[in-house]
Amino acid sequence: MAYFPMFINLENVPVLIVGGGTTALRKAEKLSYFKPRLHVIALSYQPAMLSFLNKHHYSYEERAFEKEDLEGMQMVIAATNDASVNASIAFLAKAKHIPINSVDDLDHCSFLFPSLYTNEDIVCGISSGGHSPVISQEIRKILEAQVPDDFGIINARLGKLRENVKKKGTMASRKAFYHQVIDLLLEEPEMSEEALADYCERYFQNED
Ligand SMILES: C[C@@]1(CC(=O)O)c2cc3[nH]c(cc4nc(cc5[nH]c(cc(n2)[C@H]1CCC(=O)O)[C@@](C)(CC(=O)O)[C@@H]5CCC(=O)O)C(CC(=O)O)=C4CCC(=O)O)c(CCC(=O)O)c3CC(=O)O
Ligand SMILES: NC(=O)C1=CN([C@@H]2O[C@H](COP(=O)(O)OP(=O)(O)OC[C@H]3O[C@@H](n4cnc5c(N)ncnc54)[C@H](O)[C@@H]3O)[C@@H](O)[C@H]2O)C=CC1
């Protein structure tokens, strides 16, 4: 079955990860790009997970999961190596309508982790519907190899122009303008902010 990619704002959102092993670390690293308020509970931690948590100042406790740990959480990742613990976390989270990812059982997940292509604020999430994470991984590598690196910066620059451009021309001319600016910035990544603002003014003057 295909899953819908919902892009949500995780900044300062309380997210619980249960587990301190390799899989928990991979999920934590992935989430960290989106600046959530991570909290981790695990019976024990791998050294790499501990150094990651300390580096990012995330909170963690060394103990078994308890159902009260879900209180206040807006997303949960069950990443222990105990299938019955993961299943019970999933059951409890679903009862509270908290989005849950259980790393060992697709049927217990209300959302999946995508393979991620990130470039500044550009994010592509790839899912195989759980059939083959390695296919998702291969598609991510194709994007990494073929999408120009400059797109992330170009995207930020277009974002800065956007409020001003919205006041100009027509929807059709604004669309054509953005396509043209993307080509221009791919060719001339060093173009200054002033030159770009000037280009924008001249483009819409000619339109009228
Ligand atoms: C359903 C899902 C649930 C979820 O975790 O959200 C899930 C489930 C499982 N994965 C397992 C194994 C592996 N997972 C990976 C890698 C990734 N797994 C990821 C996501 C997902 N994995 C979700 C579906 C995503 C989709 O729809 O495509 C990625 C994309 C995101 C991430 O986790 O960061 C990341 C690649 C990121 C990248 O590189 O870009 C590798 C490869 C490797 O390690 O290099 C292996 C070993 C090879 C293999 O087994 O396929 C097993 C154990 C199977 C067993 O025991 O045999 C289960 C449980 C099961 O299938 O029952
Ligand atoms: N979804 C995915 O992408 C993948 C999923 N997996 C699955 O992930 C599972 C975990 O794998 P690893 O991280 O390699 O295991 P691991 O053995 O490295 O770590 C397991 C962690 O769970 C903790 N734990 C166990 N019981 C607990 C409890 N009751 N409360 C709190 N913490 C508890 C342990 O202390 C440990 O930190 C595997 O069983 C496998 O099925 C494996 C590879 C990829």
Side-chain angles (χ1 to χ4, degrees):
M1 192 186 75
Y3 285 67
F4 180 72
M6 187 169 73
F7 290 87
I8 61 169
N9 182 352
L10 280 187
E11 195 169 18
N12 289 323
V13 168
V15 175
L16 175 69
I17 297 183
V18 187
T22 320
T23 306
L25 173 58
R26 197 171 72 237
K27 305 294 181 189
E29 284 172 337
K30 197 146 276 186
L31 285 169
S32 156
Y33 192 79
F34 306 96
K35 313 269 184 278
R37 199 174 338 130
L38 268 193
H39 184 65
V40 183
I41 291 170
L43 286 173
S44 64
Y45 290 86
Q46 282 191 5
M49 177 63 149
L50 274 184
S51 53
F52 171 84
L53 294 173
N54 287 326
K55 183 176 147 208
H56 290 272
H57 305 289
Y58 291 133
S59 55
Y60 58 91
E61 297 169 79
E62 197 164 322
R63 61 171 175 82
F65 167 81
E66 290 163 19
K67 63 178 189 307
E68 292 73 23
D69 296 328
L70 296 181
E71 221 49 63
M73 293 298 164
Q74 291 180 31
M75 180 183 276
V76 178
I77 293 87
T80 80
N81 54 353
D82 184 330
S84 64
V85 171
N86 291 343
S88 106
I89 297 170
F91 176 80
L92 293 164
K94 280 183 180 171
K96 286 174 159 287
H97 306 289
I98 306 170
I100 167 80
N101 177 264
S102 176
V103 299
D104 64 344
D105 192 342
L106 178 80
D107 293 338
H108 290 152
C109 295
S110 62
F111 75 95
L112 302 182
F113 263 68
S115 186
L116 277 180
Y117 165 86
T118 54
N119 185 343
E120 310 270 343
D121 289 349
I122 297 175
V123 174
C124 298
I126 305 140
S127 170
S128 65
H131 295 298
S132 170
V134 169
I135 290 241
S136 304
Q137 197 172 52
E138 290 206 1
I139 296 171
R140 189 243 313 154
K141 286 182 181 161
I142 293 171
L143 287 178
E144 283 171 352
Q146 301 202 2
V147 176
D149 286 345
D150 284 342
F151 265 136
I153 292 164
I154 292 174
N155 177 45
R157 296 185 76 176
L158 291 181
K160 281 190 207 147
L161 288 179
R162 194 167 170 80
E163 279 316 304
N164 187 27
V165 172
K166 272 184 196 169
K167 295 175 202 142
K168 298 181 186 294
T170 61
M171 183 66 90
S173 69
R174 291 193 290 275
K175 194 170 148 182
F177 166 78
Y178 288 125
H179 282 296
Q180 206 161 315
V181 173
I182 292 167
D183 289 345
L184 178 67
L185 290 175
L186 281 171
E187 272 171 38
E188 288 182 49
E190 307 300 330
M191 187 176 194
S192 71
E193 289 302 296
E194 294 72 30
L196 183 57
D198 198 45
Y199 176 87
C200 176
E201 289 308 317
R202 275 187 284 115
Y203 184 96
F204 287 102
Q205 266 165 22
N206 296 341
E207 280 285 305
D208 297 334

